């Protein structure tokens, strides 16, 4: 059950001009967060920007005793709202509504978990990695960006035992090309056991490519989508994505309620009219 | 303090309702909002059959407002009655159903189905959706058509009937009059303003549908004016809406002549807004020593020299 | 790079002009803005005689917009010609005069006086001021009246004639057509939306006149839609306006179908805006390898499935 | 000739919950300021609040060498825009357009200058007091507020030799009642020479009362008005105030161009329709 918290900014760690990790104090949200869920953040008090902005939870923040006190987001500045967030300084407060949405499903025992992140699509994999650690499964994170300078927080994952495979389109760090290139190679190279569960978050073209690979190898695959959202609560029907119906047709599912995490096999990727 | 108001034979606990299309079928909010505390839950526009709606992007933000072109995605009246109405009733919600049609017969049929169902408090007749050709705007922009569809539905249902008017007309009050003459118990206004936003880099519209409806604070001053105009021309109650985000905004509409209000876009920003609006309204009433909210309705004092 | 555009026989250096009533008589800005660099200076609405206008308060801010009810305070056309026009000419401004009338004869007489004066580039016919009973809205909301007043002024002046349309109508494009048929060289739109704001503490309107006209970013999506609709229904050029604050906004209007634009409310916020808009426009054109601004006009690519 | 300066906040001195003196770096404006003039400040970058807000110049700020580097305003928080200003911290920048409007006229040589301020109407009298000091004339400042806690900056004026007469409506400081009470008494008590020039700024009811006293004693009197302004440049005709015409009629004068300082005798006080 989501709650609305007037959350204080605890820290804002600038990663580059455009990227920052911003921490919020919000105990009532933090305790309930499941990996893959998101929060709706009001980036201004007045009428502009009017709507809240959806953000995946990046880290769950804990106090010295390990109690959840808040969460952070991994913010990329793209427009007005994300700029206001990126300029926020500790002490400022933002209304945060959450946690919202359907979280990732954990893989069957014994499965490896391969996560695929593009850009800010890294966000949901911090909490997922931790949750998966408890399962003892091998975790790999395929993480791609345009350029090496935009591969952030790699050291967030290595210490907790996640195998990292990096890729950049310009080849400045890791492998050259899209992150799906090493993913495809590794999938082809694997022997078949243990089974692999795929998780992906990033641009839709990437999600679509990962979904295709999952289908090719018959793997379970969940994708965290990022459709434009008005309310995050199921009220406005703006955030829809086309999914298959049991009868073989398609319908528009609200990604804030039925997602943002979907089974990749359910999604029809060509629903957008452009 | 008495916050109740009357819309035809219907008594609402408070004058503050959710607006159609902005609160899903209400059930989405049942966990976080006590639906029985709202004046009414006005549910998403329903056709006879299911509808897929438009492809995304379906919304885009504009200065102090937003455009939407959802395209009336919906489950159809039969599934609504089966799947949603029981839960709404169980939660104690006063349910007003917003209905759509592509023909008068469809409106009549939807109204008939709802009249036979248990737990529908009133029907809001959507003759004003700007987002689909058949969304009723063809009814809502012509006086004769407005009269015809309202009359036909009037004959088909004993439920309080509330045509919802479009602001995309020259003289909205004449439509309120046509609705009144055709037997409406109230009118609600405004629906959204037909509008458009262009991505100048791609030179394409920002919404998949091309155009959409403008809602939110941006439109409030126009909506208040329209409510004022209608209140002076009809005797049936008016349900006002358009950009309400605060108790002061609620009061603007009441003072302009609305008996009750609906809150749409602002519920996206704050799903807990209803309680805040109600307590703000109570504060105002106690500050101004007003016992019954109905006393406020239409109390605007227009200056002598005004033009209308 | 060619920023010039044609409005009838008139060639404008750039497509960006000041909007009537938002830049005084232009001379107020002569010290801070090089008036000769604007596409045109559109001066405040003029009647035949002087007018006092409405008592204050004449403006009130609303979300991303403002209401005004100035009431067309003005010095009348004769004093304008004597006292302001010479200075505007001396500064090299292209002057478009916005004219008002309470009768067709008054419009005709004002147009005649201006046609005989030296230095008027075009006449903008204000049939859309929502703020005074006689401000032309009586002409601007009826197709027949629009046709009549445009025809009459057409016969009285050889100057390019630009009726300015009100957005407070059901189908603005039909008014553009009526103006075209009556011999207009172009149409400009939108004037302000009739609107209202209430002080809930006093229960009185916030403007002395009761109602006022809404302008500013809030209305932009509606204005862009209306320009698009008109552009598809008439062959004469369209001058678009309503909430322009940035070069991207200028581009929205051009792409929707406007040949030129006017900037009103935003000049209050930034009197130096014209240079910024022009350089933003140039940046865009060089980024997109567009040589002549006219190439952009009406290039919106509407999706196949759209409703209009 | 007004200029638009992206002015950095140099300091913000909070006087109470609602009042603050805020300093801006704006050399291009500072050099040109005359007492009684104002600046139009954009309180936000986006579309809300949309319009600039008019503020009298309080102090002209100077650097160590006495060169004008900026100005301060005496801000009362009443709504959205003034709240944004009151929350501003050093380093923030605000677009400031100025200086604007008709300044005060200095009195004839040998005249005393009696200034009358109500609330934030104090603002224009800091620069006026300094300018008048150069003339060597006696300066008195009648300064009223609702309560003693709202009589600010008294020590700004005493050291520069301004005689202060304080009044509060609740009697918590200075005389009890409106500031026009001591003003009326002092005017009645004076011998007639040297001549007195009156200057007033504050609520319109106060200006009107001062104007009536000036008329009664045949004194020159200038009032700094504060009508609602859209542009500050003469473009919008929103800021009007009714003034007498030579022919004996009235007309609406733009207070941003012909004012904000008017000769009290010219103003018709009952122009507002409520
Ligand atoms: C479930 C979910 C999780 C997300 N997680 C993250 C995250 O962890 N880190 C991150 O940086 N971003 C994330 N996003 C995207 C983020 O919400 C948008 O970048 C943000 O809303 C843009 O707001 P803006 O005001 O800066 O941009 P605007 O100026 O509004 O628009 C700029 C661009 O952002 C897109 N956009 C605008 N509003 C939304 C919206 N409500 N939802 C989605 N896209 C939008 C627009 O289509 C446009 O292309 C997530 C989105 C969703 C739906
Ligand atoms: C020439 C001049 C000099 C001024 N000097 C000072 C000063 O030194 N210190 C000071 O604190 N205030 C001064 N004011 C008043 C100040 O401009 C308003 O308090 C401010 O604009 C209110 O803005 P807001 O957004 O906080 O209020 P809003 O929320 O917009 O409105 C609150 C109240 O302020 C009034 N108001 C709103 N906008 C304006 C406007 N543009 N002009 C005048 N009143 C307005 C409204 O009528 C309303 O009653 C001056 C005004 C003028 C015209
Ligand atoms: C996303 C969205 C969907 C809407 N769907 C409907 C609808 O189904 N039926 C209807 O009558 N109005 C619909 N409306 C209009 C609202 O009910 C309301 O009339 C309008 O948004 C103005 O109120 P607001 O400014 O408070 O949102 C919708 C509005 C929005 C924003
Ligand atoms: C204060 C003010 C005065 C106006 N006066 C006139 C006028 O005299 N004649 C006219 O045709 N339009 C007048 N308008 C309308 C503008 O020219 C313009 O059509 C409208 O404001 C929309 O543009 P904007 O959003 O850029 O301001 C006025 C607008 C404002 C805000
Ligand atoms: S964001 Fe509103 S329904 Fe999903
Ligand atoms: S404030 Fe615009 S004319 Fe004075």
């Amino acid at each position: 059950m989501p709650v609305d918290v007037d959350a204080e900014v605890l820290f804002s760690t600038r990663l580059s001009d455009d990227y920052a990790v911003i921490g919020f104090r919000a105990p009532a949200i933090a305790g309930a967060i499941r990996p893959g869920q998101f929060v709706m953040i009001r980036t201004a008090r007045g009428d502009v920007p009017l709507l809240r902005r959806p953000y995946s939870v990046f880290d769950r923040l804990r106090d010295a005793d390990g109690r959840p006190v808040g969460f952070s987001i991994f913010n990329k500045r793209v427009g007005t709202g994300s700029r206001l967030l990126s300029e926020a300084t500790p002490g400022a407060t933002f209304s945060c509504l959450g946690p919202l949405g359907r979280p990732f499903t954990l893989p069957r025992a014994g499965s490896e978990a391969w996560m695929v992140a593009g850009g800010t699509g890294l966000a949901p994999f911090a909490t997922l990695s931790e949750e998966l650690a408890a399962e003892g499964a091998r975790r790999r994170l395929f993480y791609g960006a345009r350029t090496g300078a935009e591969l952030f927080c790699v050291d967030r994952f290595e210490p907790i035992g996640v195998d990292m495979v990096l890729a950049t389109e310009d080849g400045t760090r890791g492998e050259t090309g899209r992150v799906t290139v090493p993913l495809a190679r590794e999938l082809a190279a694997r022997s078949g056991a243990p089974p692999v569960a795929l998780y992906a978050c990033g641009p839709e073209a990437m999600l679509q490519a990962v979904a295709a690979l999952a289908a090719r190898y018959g793997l379970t695959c969940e994708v965290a989508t990022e459709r434009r959202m008005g309310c995050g609560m199921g009220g406005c029907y703006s955030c829809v994505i086309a999914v298959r119906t049991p009868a073989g047709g398609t319908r528009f599912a609200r990604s804030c309620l039925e997602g943002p995490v979907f089974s990749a096999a359910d999604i029809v990727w060509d629903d957008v009219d452009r | 303090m008495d916050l109740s108001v009357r819309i035809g034979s219907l008594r609402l606990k408070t004058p503050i309702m959710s607006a159609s299309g902005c609160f899903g079928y209400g059930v989405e909010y049942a966990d976080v909002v006590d639906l029985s505390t709202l004046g009414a839950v006005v549910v998403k526009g329903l056709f006879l059959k299911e509808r897929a709606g438009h492809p995304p992007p379906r919304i885009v933000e504009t200065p102090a407002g937003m455009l939407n072109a959802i395209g009336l995605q919906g489950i159809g009246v039969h599934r609504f009655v089966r799947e949603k109405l029981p839960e709404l009733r169980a939660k104690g919600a006063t349910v007003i159903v917003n209905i759509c049609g592509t023909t008068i017969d469809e409106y009549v049929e939807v109204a008939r189905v709802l009249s036979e169902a248990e737990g529908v408090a009133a029907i809001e007749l959507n003759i004003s959706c700007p987002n689909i050709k058949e969304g009723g705007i063809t009814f809502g922009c012509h006086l004769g058509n407005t009269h015809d569809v309202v009359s036909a539905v009037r004959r088909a249902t004993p439920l309080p009937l509330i045509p919802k008017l479009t602001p995309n007309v020259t003289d909205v009050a004449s439509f309120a009059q046509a609705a009144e003459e055709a037997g409406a118990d109230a009118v609600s206004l405004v629906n959204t303003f037909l509008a458009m936003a262009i991505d100048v880099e791609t030179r394409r519209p920002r919404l998949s549908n091309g155009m959409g409806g403008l809602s939110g604070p941006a439109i409030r001053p126009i909506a208040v004016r329209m409510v004022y105009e209608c209140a002076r021309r009809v005797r049936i109650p008016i349900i006002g809406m358009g950009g309400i985000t605060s108790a002061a905004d609620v009061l603007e509409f009441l003072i302009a002549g609305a008996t009750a209000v609906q809150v749409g876009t602002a519920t996206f920003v704050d799903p807990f807004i209803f309680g805040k609006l109600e307590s703000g309204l109570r504060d105002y009433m106690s500050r101004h020593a007003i016992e019954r909210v109905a006393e406020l309705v239409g109390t605007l004092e227009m200056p002598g020299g005004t033009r209308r």
Side-chain angles (χ1 to χ4, degrees), chain B residues 19-22 45 68 72 98 126 164 190-192 215-216 241-243 264-265:
Chain B
S20 179
C22 302
N68 88 78
L72 287 166
N98 182 277
N126 184 357
K164 182 164 175 182
V190 299
N191 209 317
T192 55
S215 64
M241 79 200 78
T265 304

Side-chain angles (χ1 to χ4, degrees), chain A residues 2-273:
Chain A
V3 291
D4 188 15
V5 175
D6 208 27
E8 186 188 334
V9 173
L10 295 172
F11 60 83
S12 173
T13 311
R14 184 156 302 289
L15 306 174
S16 77
D17 264 9
D18 289 341
Y19 292 81
V21 173
I22 307 163
F24 296 91
R25 178 191 304 285
I29 293 177
I33 290 165
R34 311 277 308 119
Q37 288 190 304
F38 66 100
V39 288
M40 292 290 286
I41 307 183
R42 202 166 166 187
T43 62
R45 249 164 239 292
D47 294 330
V48 178
L50 186 62
L51 300 171
R52 290 174 188 257
R53 299 293 190 255
Y55 281 87
S56 295
V57 168
F58 182 44
D59 262 320
R60 198 190 278 112
L61 308 177
R62 299 181 180 279
D63 66 12
D65 300 326
R67 276 186 301 256
V69 291
F71 63 89
S72 66
I73 63 168
F74 182 54
N75 176 55
K76 178 177 180 187
R77 197 179 55 185
V78 297
T80 320
S82 50
R83 180 176 55 72
L84 289 170
L85 287 172
S86 112
E87 289 169 356
T89 48
T93 58
F94 290 86
S95 166
C96 294
L97 178 70
L100 296 163
R102 200 177 77 88
F104 288 114
T105 325
L106 298 190
R108 276 174 306 161
S111 288
E112 294 192 356
W114 293 15
M115 299 169 277
V116 192
T120 59
L122 180 70
F125 295 127
T127 51
L128 182 62
S129 296
E130 281 170 7
E131 194 112 347
L132 288 169
E135 314 280 306
R138 179 178 180 213
R139 296 155 298 157
R140 305 185 76 179
L141 173 57
F142 296 78
Y143 178 21
R146 217 174 33 81
T147 178
E150 290 181 355
L151 281 176
F152 302 106
C153 304
V154 173
D155 52 1
R156 165 74 186 71
F157 292 87
E158 279 166 344
I160 60 168
V162 177
D163 296 340
M164 301 291 284
V165 181
L166 304 180
T168 54
E169 290 180 37
D170 67 357
T172 45
R173 188 166 175 199
E175 304 192 25
T176 302
R178 303 243 160 123
V179 68
T180 42
V181 174
L183 175 67
R185 190 193 55 234
E186 296 292 301
L187 284 172
R190 61 185 270 283
S191 63
V196 160
L198 286 173
Y199 299 92
C201 184
E204 288 203 359
M206 185 200 95
L207 300 187
Q208 197 171 348
V210 175
L213 288 168
R216 161 124 53 105
Y217 293 101
L219 303 175
T220 66
C221 175
E222 288 188 331
V223 293
T225 57
E226 297 191 354
R227 288 285 159 115
R228 209 180 291 177
M229 290 185 175
C231 69
M233 296 280 296
C236 71
Y237 282 72
S238 66
C239 59
V240 296
I241 188 162
V243 298
R244 275 172 250 285
T245 60
T250 67
R251 68 180 174 90
F252 283 123
R254 284 167 288 179
S255 67
C256 65
L257 281 189
E258 298 191 43
V261 174
F262 289 91
S263 170
D266 289 344
I267 294 184
V268 182
W269 289 105
D270 53 359
D271 64 332
V272 178
D273 180 37

Side-chain angles (χ1 to χ4, degrees), chain A residues 50 230 235-238, chain B residues 18-23 42-46 58-59 64-73 98-100 124-131 135 164-165 167 188-193 213-220 223 240-245 253 262-268:
Chain A
L50 186 62
C236 71
Y237 282 72
S238 66
Chain B
S18 68
S20 179
C22 302
F23 210 58
V42 183
V43 300
K44 212 174 145 42
L46 286 171
R58 289 176 168 188
I59 58 165
M66 61 174 282
L67 306 187
N68 88 78
I70 306 298
L72 287 166
Q73 172 172 357
N98 182 277
I99 73 168
C100 311
E124 186 175 59
L125 198 68
N126 184 357
I127 51 170
S128 48
C129 178
N131 288 328
K164 182 164 175 182
L165 307 180
S188 60
L189 67 149
V190 299
N191 209 317
T192 55
F193 289 77
L214 179 64
S215 64
I219 66 169
R220 191 170 62 233
M241 79 200 78
I244 292 177
T245 67
F253 280 92
Q262 294 180 10
V263 186
T265 304
T267 62
F268 301 158

Side-chain angles (χ1 to χ4, degrees), chain B residues 166-188:
Chain B
T166 174
N168 300 300
V169 294
T170 310
D171 180 19
V172 70
S174 62
F175 288 83
Q177 284 179 315
E180 179 175 45
E181 282 159 20
D185 295 286
V187 289
S188 60

Side-chain angles (χ1 to χ4, degrees), chain B residues 55-134:
Chain B
R58 289 176 168 188
I59 58 165
V60 61
E61 196 169 323
T62 65
M66 61 174 282
L67 306 187
N68 88 78
I70 306 298
L72 287 166
Q73 172 172 357
I75 59 177
V77 69
H78 293 289
R79 279 186 60 196
F80 171 77
V81 168
R82 269 199 322 274
E83 299 173 20
K84 311 291 176 185
L85 203 48
E87 182 175 349
L88 289 168
R89 290 183 61 201
K91 299 286 179 187
T94 301
V95 180
I96 297 180
V97 182
N98 182 277
I99 73 168
C100 311
T102 57
T103 61
I104 290 188
D105 286 348
E106 184 175 4
Y107 277 108
V108 166
E109 178 62 10
V110 177
R112 212 192 37 74
V113 173
L114 291 169
S115 310
E116 286 167 8
E118 208 58 55
V120 176
I123 289 177
E124 186 175 59
L125 198 68
N126 184 357
I127 51 170
S128 48
C129 178
N131 288 328
I132 58 166
K133 237 200 296 305
E134 341 78 276

Side-chain angles (χ1 to χ4, degrees), chain B residues 60 67 196-207 210:
Chain B
V60 61
L67 306 187
M196 168 170 216
I198 297 171
D199 180 336
V200 301
E201 296 302 321
T202 62
R203 284 182 239 163
R204 305 196 64 183
R206 289 189 184 273
L207 295 174

